[in-house]
Amino acid sequence: MNRRIKASPAGKKPVEINRDAPAAPAWPSYKGTSQFVGTSPSGRVTVYVDPSLGQPALQNAQDLLNDADRVIAANDGIFGTTGGPVSAIVFALGGETDGTGGADHMGCDYTIGAAIEVDASFGNSARVSALFEAELSECSMNGNLCGLSTGEALSRWCAAVIGNNALADFATAPQWVQDNEPDFVDKTDPTDQDADSIGCGMAFLSWLISQGYGLEKIAPAMVNLGDSGTFAQLYATLTSDAAANAFPKFQAAIQNLPNGVTNDDPFDGLAQPTQMSNLRVATLPPGKAKAASLCQPKSKRLLPPAKTGHRATKSA
């Protein structure tokens, strides 16, 4: 499956704004004027922009609109489900216009999480699509993994795969190594804002993917395990090996890396082929999906490591 993000051709006629636009949703933080850009051909993604940012942001929004159906189709393939409709607004989230303002939504389902904010990235719309996927993937977790280190690592990996690694500067795995590799495989951190636990998860998923367990296998298994699940349990589910072997084998693999951990994909998982095009859309096993009303808005804004906290101590 080709996932390369393409910007609109230079010189393309600017999008004409429909003045009979649908009413914008209530956004998590944006309080300005929401200018309607369009709805994707599938009808599942409606895009808005902050008009005060001018043509560069409008170009980001138009490129996101053009790319939206590719993103949602790939996301559906990863999770084995069909997601619901969402809205997205492109603006200077956190005052940034280079993508480092990150992305945000309210919760991990298609009800309270369906209004997605993404930072503008002038001249680099690939980052906007990747930020959009990071939040969209959390909606597909259907109330599971919300606000946890496991869910955050999964969403960032979805953004890396579908977004062509456009957010490589958001890497947290090197920070985890610098802080002496605390064990967040055998336990799950109850936050999505700690660089150490996110970094551990990113490197661990890189390792699993490098062994042939693509996101199309990982994501449904993690959602099925739910909030109480750990990466060790994920390892046991996928490999049929004991969960107790997960962290020791992962550490041994880390030690054998010739160049150490310099990014979020130290095992070159992004180079592994996926089989998403062969998947059939399915539903979660009975009893595993949470009702939308139970998903509290625990997820926080996706941010690069310089803007994300990490523990002062260097142990888990």
Side-chain angles (χ1 to χ4, degrees):
M1 178 182 289
N2 182 1
R3 300 185 189 84
R4 184 164 61 91
I5 299 171
K6 297 180 180 180
S8 298
K12 182 176 180 179
K13 182 180 178 181
V15 62
E16 294 182 359
I17 304 302
N18 182 353
R19 298 304 173 186
D20 297 324
W27 304 108
S29 64
Y30 180 70
K31 303 301 181 186
T33 300
S34 301
Q35 180 169 290
F36 174 67
V37 176
T39 299
S40 68
S42 71
R44 287 176 55 187
V45 183
T46 302
V47 178
Y48 299 82
V49 70
D50 176 359
S52 71
L53 296 180
Q55 182 59 34
L58 183 57
Q59 189 67 64
N60 282 163
Q62 180 64 63
D63 289 340
L64 176 60
L65 180 63
N66 292 341
D67 197 32
D69 282 347
R70 178 196 69 85
V71 173
I72 62 171
N75 184 74
D76 286 351
I78 285 176
F79 285 90
T81 58
T82 300
V86 298
S87 298
I89 187 166
V90 177
F91 74 108
L93 188 55
E96 306 292 347
T97 55
D98 61 358
T100 61
D104 201 7
H105 68 161
M106 288 300 293
C108 303
D109 60 38
Y110 285 96
T111 302
I112 62 172
I116 296 173
E117 298 178 336
V118 293
D119 188 27
S121 185
F122 292 174
N124 191 352
S125 292
R127 287 169 69 81
V128 177
S129 284
L131 291 168
F132 173 66
E133 167 55 22
E135 305 305 298
L136 186 73
S137 64
E138 292 192 355
C139 293
S140 290
M141 295 176 197
N142 201 30
N144 295 279
L145 315 177
C146 195
L148 305 176
S149 59
T150 46
E152 182 65 15
L154 177 58
S155 71
R156 290 183 183 221
W157 255 102
C158 289
V161 170
I162 293 177
N164 206 27
N165 204 27
L167 303 176
D169 55 316
F170 281 57
T172 51
Q175 179 70 59
W176 168 69
V177 171
Q178 181 180 324
D179 288 348
N180 297 325
E181 302 176 17
D183 180 3
F184 290 104
V185 171
D186 291 311
K187 68 177 182 180
T188 295
D189 198 5
T191 178
D192 58 4
Q193 294 291 292
D194 182 72
D196 286 346
S197 57
I198 297 168
C200 179
M202 295 301 289
F204 186 79
L205 291 182
S206 173
W207 178 56
L208 283 182
I209 293 168
S210 73
Q211 297 180 75
Y213 302 102
L215 284 183
E216 73 282 356
K217 296 181 179 71
I218 288 171
M222 289 182 66
V223 171
N224 192 32
L225 286 169
D227 291 358
S228 63
T230 64
F231 283 122
Q233 291 173 319
L234 171 67
Y235 169 84
T237 298
L238 296 176
T239 67
S240 299
D241 190 13
N245 292 332
F247 192 60
K249 289 187 175 182
F250 172 50
Q251 282 190 307
I254 289 283
Q255 292 170 1
N256 288 329
L257 285 170
N259 299 313
V261 176
T262 60
N263 55 50
D264 271 349
D265 185 21
F267 296 96
D268 205 19
L270 285 169
Q272 301 296 314
T274 65
Q275 304 299 320
M276 289 192 299
S277 60
N278 298 326
L279 292 178
R280 294 190 308 169
V281 172
T283 58
L284 289 174
K288 294 299 183 180
K290 294 182 181 178
S293 61
L294 296 180
C295 179
Q296 301 300 319
K298 297 182 293 182
S299 63
K300 304 299 182 183
R301 179 151 57 106
L302 170 67
L303 290 168
K307 299 179 181 180
T308 301
H310 74 276
R311 288 171 170 77
T313 60
K314 298 199 175 182
S315 61

